[in-house]
Amino acid sequence: MVVVGGTADLAPTTAVKFFAAGTAGCVADLVTFPLDTAKVRLQIQGESRPTLEGKAIYRGVFGTIFTMVKTEGPRSLYSGLVAGLHRQMSFSSVRIGLYDNIKQVYSRGSEHAGIGTRLLAGCTTGAMAVAFAQPTDVVKVRFQAQVRRPESGSVRRYNGTFDAYKTIARDEGVKGLWKGCLPNIARNAIVNCSELVTYDIIKELILKYNLMTDNMPCHFTAAFAAGFCTTIVASPVDVIKTRFMNSVPGQYSGALNCALTMLIKEGPTAFYKGFMPSFLRLGSWNIVMFVSYEQIKRAVIRYQRSWESPL
């Protein structure tokens, strides 16, 4: 990503990018997790029990949040947070922290990488991150989808985050922890390209035409655009991923079967279920994450400078 002014004299190392990306991802998850949980509940609505006399219980992102707080308590909004933080420390570190390095490899060290090179780098780091961090995503989605109302007749599936890892591995085999890996790779290749490439290009253009300086307003604008583009492109794959990862063994024969079942039973609009919370979540997540990422990188570089050149 473009680095201009201030801290550009000392470029961040791969280790700094890893740390900054993982930490920024965790900060963004802490801020936006209720929106993500609402998105998951809306996406699985229609295949699970939370219905009342055939009518949907969850209506809209804020209606979903209100219903969850009213019926399950405020803590339900953060169900799966621990697994979510596990995911960000491993997932964001790889997909964001390695993006510049992979881009340099594909462009053979050129400072002016084309859009094709950027897209390829985004796909690569997105796929690598999923292959590495998929178990954390499976556990996170299972917790978020878990209804906590006694009257619903639902049984608590797991006693805690680490119990979930063990239970899934025991009952479904180790491959259960990588359930939905292929649709998740497809989804995150798209998400990574949309997020990182859009952010990268828009930030570069803003700086090139001197519309803003390389500071928070610039990062905010580029991050918001990245979130909007990502939501439009990735929503269908995201819904399939959520449904498939949350499914009981044998419910779907694969991700394509899951998509076909949704299309037949619920129609094409099912692929955009939870679109508004997805946009609210991805837009706000991108803003918090990219702004935090840039600031954390600069803070670490300033610390390195002060350490190497003490007064």
Side-chain angles (χ1 to χ4, degrees), residues 220-256:
F220 181 97
T221 303
F224 183 85
F228 182 75
C229 293
T230 302
T231 309
I232 292 174
V233 173
S235 276
V237 186
D238 192 32
V239 175
I240 295 168
K241 179 211 77 166
T242 299
R243 291 279 186 100
F244 187 60
M245 289 199 305
N246 185 57
S247 64
V248 296
Q251 185 174 355
Y252 303 115
S253 60
L256 290 177

Side-chain angles (χ1 to χ4, degrees), residues 45-85:
Q45 187 163 248
E47 70 163 5
S48 54
R49 288 189 178 183
T51 56
L52 184 63
E53 297 179 355
K55 296 180 180 179
I57 278 185
Y58 304 125
R59 292 184 180 277
V61 56
F62 296 112
T64 300
I65 290 173
F66 177 77
T67 300
M68 290 179 65
V69 171
K70 183 179 178 181
T71 59
E72 304 174 53
R75 289 182 61 187
S76 64
L77 297 174
Y78 283 91
S79 183
L81 177 63
V82 175
L85 296 180

Side-chain angles (χ1 to χ4, degrees), residues 60-282:
V61 56
F62 296 112
T64 300
I65 290 173
F66 177 77
T67 300
M68 290 179 65
V69 171
K70 183 179 178 181
T71 59
E72 304 174 53
R75 289 182 61 187
S76 64
L77 297 174
Y78 283 91
S79 183
L81 177 63
V82 175
L85 296 180
H86 290 171
R87 178 179 181 268
Q88 292 303 334
M89 282 307 298
S90 51
F91 182 74
S92 291
S93 296
V94 173
R95 77 179 183 95
I96 299 169
L98 283 180
Y99 172 72
D100 285 333
N101 299 67
I102 299 298
K103 186 172 70 173
Q104 286 291 309
V105 170
Y106 287 144
S107 65
R108 298 181 181 178
S110 172
E111 292 296 323
H112 303 287
I115 189 169
T117 300
R118 298 179 202 226
L119 289 171
L120 189 57
C123 285
T124 302
T125 58
M128 288 169 61
V130 171
F132 181 60
Q134 180 69 3
T136 62
D137 207 11
V138 171
V139 171
K140 178 182 79 77
V141 167
R142 297 276 180 100
F143 270 105
Q144 288 177 313
Q146 187 169 259
V147 179
R148 295 173 176 266
R149 297 196 313 276
E151 66 271 19
S152 71
S154 59
V155 179
R156 191 175 182 181
R157 296 171 82 175
Y158 312 110
N159 294 321
T161 304
F162 291 102
D163 175 65
Y165 289 121
K166 290 190 293 184
T167 302
I168 293 170
R170 184 187 67 232
D171 296 347
E172 304 175 39
V174 175
K175 66 179 183 180
L177 291 170
W178 272 267
K179 189 173 187 177
C181 191
L182 290 180
N184 210 12
I185 284 176
R187 183 245 181 201
N188 279 290
I190 294 169
V191 166
N192 219 39
C193 285
S194 302
E195 279 183 357
L196 295 180
V197 176
T198 302
Y199 180 83
D200 205 10
I201 291 174
I202 291 179
K203 180 184 173 185
E204 189 176 87
L205 290 173
I206 288 171
L207 297 175
K208 180 180 178 181
Y209 292 103
N210 297 315
L211 301 176
M212 299 178 189
T213 58
D214 189 12
N215 281 310
M216 206 170 291
C218 171
H219 306 155
F220 181 97
T221 303
F224 183 85
F228 182 75
C229 293
T230 302
T231 309
I232 292 174
V233 173
S235 276
V237 186
D238 192 32
V239 175
I240 295 168
K241 179 211 77 166
T242 299
R243 291 279 186 100
F244 187 60
M245 289 199 305
N246 185 57
S247 64
V248 296
Q251 185 174 355
Y252 303 115
S253 60
L256 290 177
N257 175 251
C258 177
L260 188 62
T261 302
M262 285 172 58
L263 183 63
I264 293 171
K265 290 186 175 180
E266 302 171 59
T269 57
F271 295 101
Y272 280 90
K273 276 191 172 182
F275 179 83
M276 229 14 237
S278 287
F279 173 61
L280 288 173
R281 194 258 174 180
L282 271 174

